[in-house]
Amino acid sequence: MVIRSQYFEPRDIQLDDDDIVVLSCIRNEAARLPYFLEYYRSRGVKRFLCVDNGSTDETGEILAAQPDVEVFTTTGSYRGSAAGRLWLQELGDTYAVGHWTLTVDVDELLVYPASERVPLKALCRYLDRRGVEGLFTVMLDMYSDRTFADTNYVPGSPFLDTCSFFETDSYSLRPEPNPPFLSIFGGPRGRLYARSTPDDPGPMMKKVPLVKWMPGFSYIRSTHTHRHVPLADITGALLHFKFFGSFEKTMRTEYLRGDRRQNHVYARYVEEIGPDTSFMLPTSHQYDGPRDLVARGVMTSHRTWRSFCENFASRWKRPFDVDALLPDPPASPQGLETLASTWPFANNRGMHKHFGIEMPGRRDTRAALLEEIRRWVDVVEIGADRVLLRIGEQALHRWQPHGLAVVLTVGGRVAGSVPVDGTDDDVLRIVTDSLEPNVCAWPVDVAGLLGDASYAEVAVHLVDAQDPDRPLPAAGATWTPGPRDAELLACTWHRSPVPAGEMDGTSGRIERLEDGSIVGWARDEQGRDLRVNVYVDGRLAVHTDPPRAYDPSGFSVPLPIGYFADHGATELVVDVRTAGTNVVLERSPLRFPVTSRDAEWRDDGWRPVR
C-alpha cells in the first residue's frame, strides 16, 4: 500500500532467487565508491541498484564501468524525492521484491555480531529461519584522531584506515512512535552542535537498512523508520564514514544548493564545523572489529544466533572461535552500551502480533485515527485538472490500511473522492518534478465543473470511508459534511489567477529576497496567517507548514537557488500563491539572477542587491 511513482523507465533486470541487493542513492561520491563496492562484494552482495543524482565528478563513469551495477540517472530534486526514499522505493518495488535488500549510503558499512567470519548470506538465512524481515542497526559515527583539515582519505583504501575512532557516551536512547519504536540520537555531531532541548536531540543515529523487501513494504523517513515488520533478535551497526577532509566543503555546497530535506542541519554544520574541528576525546575508542561492539553492548547478540554461528563454524573449512567473536556485553553499561540490554524489550515480538490485526473498528477509535491522520494530509493546490495533496509518510505507512479518504466538493456538489492510505494506486501518483516531498496528483476536472462560472466555492474534507452509516458520496451528489469529517480546505477558487489585492478577504505580498530566502506575508480577512506555495520556474518548490501562531513578520522561505544554478538556470522566476487557491501575492513574480541572494522592490520592480 504505497502511492506509486515513475521516475525511471522499467528495465529487464534478472536476479537470482538468493541475490542480496544493495539500493543506494549517490551524488558526487567518486572517492568513496570503489571501496564501498569492494566492501559489499566481499560480503556477498551480487547486485547494486544505484541512483546517480546528477553527479558532476567521476561517479557516473565509475558506476557505468561496473558489471554488477544498474545505474538509474536523475537530475531531479533530492528533497522532492523525500531524500531519495521515493526513488529507492520505486526500485525496490520494481526489482527487489522477495530479496534481502540493503538500503545504504556510500559512506555506510554494515557490521553485525560475528560478521568477521559469518557472511551476509548466512545472516539472511538465519533471519529467514527466525521469521523476521529486518535488522536494526545503530549508526556509529567514525572519525579520525586529527582535525578535519588533516583527515585525508585515499580513494580506494579501506575507510577504517582514515577514520577508526568512535564513542558511546554521547548517544541517547528514546522511545519512537514509529517502527522500530526505539530511537538513538546524538553521537559526536550531537555533542558538538545539538541544542539540549526535546525538539532538538541531535541527529537520528539508527536505521533498519537490511530488510526482506515484500509487497507493501516502505520506509517512512529514510531508513530510520518503516512500515511495521518483525525485526531480528540481534542488532548490527552502520559504521558511518562522513568525516573525511572533504566534509566541510561538501556540507557548504549542499547547504547553498538548498536541496536537502533538513537544510537547517547543513546550515548548522556550516556554522559549527571548520577545518580545525576534531571529534577526538580522551573517551574515544579505536575500533577493533565487530567483536568490539558486541563487547561494549553497542550490538546485541542472542543465544539462538550463537548456536547458529557455532553450527556454521563447525562446517567451515577454517573453524573459528565463536566465544571470541561474541563476548558478553558490559556488566554496567552506559550511554549507547545499554542497547544490548534494551533491545529485547524494545523489540517485543508481541508488537508484530498487534500490528498484524485489522484496524479496530470502534467509532471512538476511528474518530481519533481521523484526527491523527488529519495532521499528515494537506491540500497543496487546486488546479484546473488536478488536485495536489501532500500526504505525509505517517499517513501512508504508520498504520494498517486505515480506510480514510478525501472528498472534494465544487459549488456544493461532489467532484470526487479518493483514499489516502495508498490502497487505490491507480488514481494518486507522485509528482516527480516537485521539489516538495510526498506531493501526489489526483486528476479531477475542476475547471469543467465550473461550467460558465469564473469561480466557485470549493472544499476538501477528510472522511472515514469505512463508516457503514455514511458511505462515500457519489460524484455529482449534493453532500454536507458531518461532525466527524475534518475540513482540510474551504475557499473560493478562481478559474484564472487573481492578484491578492483584488481578492476580498485575502491579502499578501512578497517583501524581499534576503540571504536566499523569500520573505513576505499572506493573511485572511480575520488577519490569520495563510499557508503559501512557492513556485520556482513553474515547479512547486515549497509548501509551507501551518503557522503555529500569528507572526507579524510573515513567512521566510529558503529557496533552492544552487539547485537551479546546477541545472543551468541564469535567472529565477519565483511565484508565490496562497495554498489551495489561485490567489497570487502582490509583487509576484520575483525575478532575480542566480548569482544574487538578495533583492528588494524599488520603483515598481525587483532589483538585485549586490
Side-chain angles (χ1 to χ4, degrees):
M1 287 72 66
V2 294
I3 296 175
R4 305 294 175 185
S5 63
Q6 189 169 344
Y7 290 97
F8 312 106
E9 288 297 322
R11 302 179 187 177
D12 183 16
I13 298 177
Q14 301 297 323
L15 301 176
D16 292 336
D17 291 343
D18 60 348
D19 278 351
I20 298 170
V21 180
V22 162
L23 300 179
S24 189
C25 184
I26 301 169
R27 176 179 166 81
N28 291 343
E29 290 286 4
R32 287 182 176 89
L33 253 179
Y35 182 69
F36 168 82
L37 296 171
E38 175 189 336
Y39 179 86
Y40 282 109
R41 284 168 180 154
S42 71
R43 269 63 185 172
V45 172
K46 296 294 182 65
R47 300 303 294 271
F48 298 81
L49 307 183
C50 297
V51 175
D52 181 6
N53 183 206
S55 294
T56 56
D57 65 0
E58 294 77 32
T59 292
E61 290 83 350
I62 294 173
L63 289 172
Q66 312 302 316
D68 53 358
V69 175
E70 286 284 340
V71 187
F72 297 82
T73 302
T74 178
T75 58
S77 169
Y78 183 72
R79 179 174 177 268
S81 70
R85 184 188 65 80
L86 294 171
W87 293 333
L88 299 183
Q89 177 79 41
E90 183 176 320
L91 298 188
D93 287 342
T94 305
Y95 307 107
V97 171
H99 291 268
W100 282 99
T101 305
L102 259 173
T103 303
V104 286
D105 294 334
V106 178
D107 57 10
E108 297 172 344
L109 303 183
L110 175 70
V111 296
Y112 46 88
S115 60
E116 299 99 319
R117 303 299 292 273
V118 180
L120 190 56
K121 190 165 287 189
L123 169 66
C124 293
R125 285 202 303 271
Y126 171 80
L127 301 180
D128 280 329
R129 291 176 186 176
R130 297 289 289 165
V132 298
E133 297 176 16
L135 178 74
F136 179 95
T137 66
V138 58
M139 280 185 69
L140 198 63
D141 275 345
M142 307 296 295
Y143 50 86
S144 78
D145 57 354
R146 302 176 297 281
T147 65
F148 280 20
D150 293 328
T151 304
N152 298 313
Y153 173 68
V154 178
S157 64
F159 297 163
L160 281 165
D161 288 356
T162 304
C163 292
S164 60
F165 290 88
F166 69 98
E167 58 197 63
T168 59
D169 54 357
S170 59
Y171 294 80
S172 62
L173 278 62
R174 302 188 182 194
E176 158 70 43
N178 297 309
F181 307 111
L182 174 68
S183 277
I184 302 173
F185 292 96
R189 285 176 288 164
R191 66 173 163 83
L192 192 69
Y193 74 77
R195 303 185 185 101
S196 56
T197 67
D199 293 336
D200 190 5
M204 178 81 78
M205 299 305 294
K206 54 89 177 180
K207 289 187 173 183
V208 180
L210 180 64
V211 297
K212 188 72 169 286
W213 200 285
M214 301 302 287
F217 173 78
S218 177
Y219 288 110
I220 297 178
R221 291 187 72 88
S222 179
T223 55
H224 298 300
T225 58
H226 52 83
R227 187 185 290 272
H228 184 71
V229 294
L231 298 179
D233 44 22
I234 67 172
T235 67
L238 278 181
L239 306 184
H240 188 214
F241 296 90
K242 198 178 193 73
F243 307 111
F244 295 157
S246 58
F247 174 74
E248 181 193 7
K249 179 181 178 181
T250 299
M251 294 304 102
R252 187 175 300 276
T253 298
E254 289 302 311
Y255 167 66
L256 292 174
R257 288 185 79 241
D259 194 36
R260 292 283 176 164
R261 198 168 181 181
Q262 294 180 307
N263 215 43
H264 65 283
V265 173
Y266 288 79
R268 197 173 307 164
Y269 286 145
V270 171
E271 293 171 1
E272 300 291 341
I273 295 177
D276 296 330
T277 301
S278 174
F279 286 151
M280 195 67 182
L281 289 176
T283 52
S284 299
H285 310 293
Q286 187 157 26
Y287 181 73
D288 189 29
R291 65 173 68 81
D292 186 15
L293 302 185
V294 176
R296 294 183 185 279
V298 174
M299 296 198 304
T300 309
S301 186
H302 192 273
R303 63 180 181 277
T304 56
W305 174 245
R306 177 181 291 273
S307 297
F308 179 88
C309 292
E310 289 171 346
N311 290 333
F312 184 85
S314 67
R315 300 192 306 273
W316 195 242
K317 296 178 181 177
R318 294 173 294 167
F320 52 87
D321 184 355
V322 173
D323 290 336
L325 299 182
L326 301 175
D328 292 332
S332 301
Q334 296 182 356
L336 189 59
E337 296 173 349
T338 61
L339 179 60
S341 56
T342 302
W343 184 244
F345 299 96
N347 191 40
N348 181 349
R349 292 298 294 274
M351 289 191 293
H352 178 57
K353 180 179 179 181
H354 171 77
F355 278 87
I357 65 175
E358 294 297 322
M359 180 65 65
R362 298 201 323 265
R363 286 181 176 270
D364 56 345
T365 305
R366 299 293 297 175
L369 174 67
L370 190 145
E371 282 302 309
E372 176 65 21
I373 297 292
R374 180 183 186 179
R375 299 169 52 203
W376 306 109
V377 180
D378 303 325
V379 181
V380 175
E381 173 191 292
I382 296 181
D385 57 0
R386 68 178 187 177
V387 175
L388 297 188
L389 303 172
R390 186 174 69 176
I391 304 178
E393 290 98 334
Q394 291 87 340
L396 286 169
H397 309 306
R398 189 170 172 183
W399 293 270
Q400 296 290 324
H402 47 65
L404 302 186
V406 293
V407 175
L408 169 68
T409 57
V410 177
R413 293 190 175 275
V414 175
S417 62
V418 65
V420 291
D421 58 5
T423 53
D424 192 350
D425 62 4
D426 291 331
V427 178
L428 294 177
R429 280 290 186 269
I430 297 293
V431 179
T432 56
D433 68 349
S434 171
L435 278 74
E436 182 73 39
N438 304 312
V439 174
C440 309
W442 173 24
V444 184
D445 184 12
V446 179
L449 295 171
L450 261 64
D452 295 331
S454 60
Y455 65 89
E457 299 302 312
V458 301
V460 181
H461 288 80
L462 183 67
V463 305
D464 184 358
Q466 294 182 355
D467 188 341
D469 299 328
R470 294 189 76 240
L472 284 176
T478 301
W479 181 74
T480 301
R484 292 178 179 270
D485 300 327
E487 182 181 278
L488 301 180
L489 174 74
C491 67
T492 302
W493 185 80
H494 290 255
R495 186 191 300 270
S496 301
V498 179
E502 300 177 13
M503 177 70 181
D504 293 339
T506 301
S507 58
R509 184 168 65 208
I510 301 175
E511 295 290 357
R512 62 191 177 277
L513 178 71
E514 183 177 281
D515 192 24
S517 294
I518 192 165
V519 179
W521 54 273
R523 300 188 182 104
D524 64 12
E525 56 189 347
Q526 282 81 40
R528 294 172 298 195
D529 291 305
L530 298 174
R531 309 178 77 167
V532 298
N533 291 337
V534 179
Y535 300 86
V536 180
D537 289 352
R539 294 173 62 182
L540 177 66
V542 181
H543 172 61
T544 60
D545 291 328
R548 294 186 178 182
Y550 170 69
D551 185 350
S553 64
F555 59 80
S556 178
V557 177
L559 298 178
I561 297 173
Y563 171 82
F564 284 94
D566 281 355
H567 290 75
T570 57
E571 181 186 63
L572 297 184
V573 179
V574 180
D575 181 39
V576 184
R577 306 186 182 199
T578 54
T581 74
N582 255 347
V583 178
V584 184
L585 269 58
E586 295 180 42
R587 300 178 180 172
S588 189
L590 161 62
R591 297 174 182 269
F592 65 96
V594 296
T595 54
S596 297
R597 294 183 63 82
D598 297 271
E600 61 183 26
W601 181 264
R602 291 185 301 190
D603 302 326
D604 296 327
W606 288 105
R607 301 290 184 273
V609 178
R610 299 294 180 182

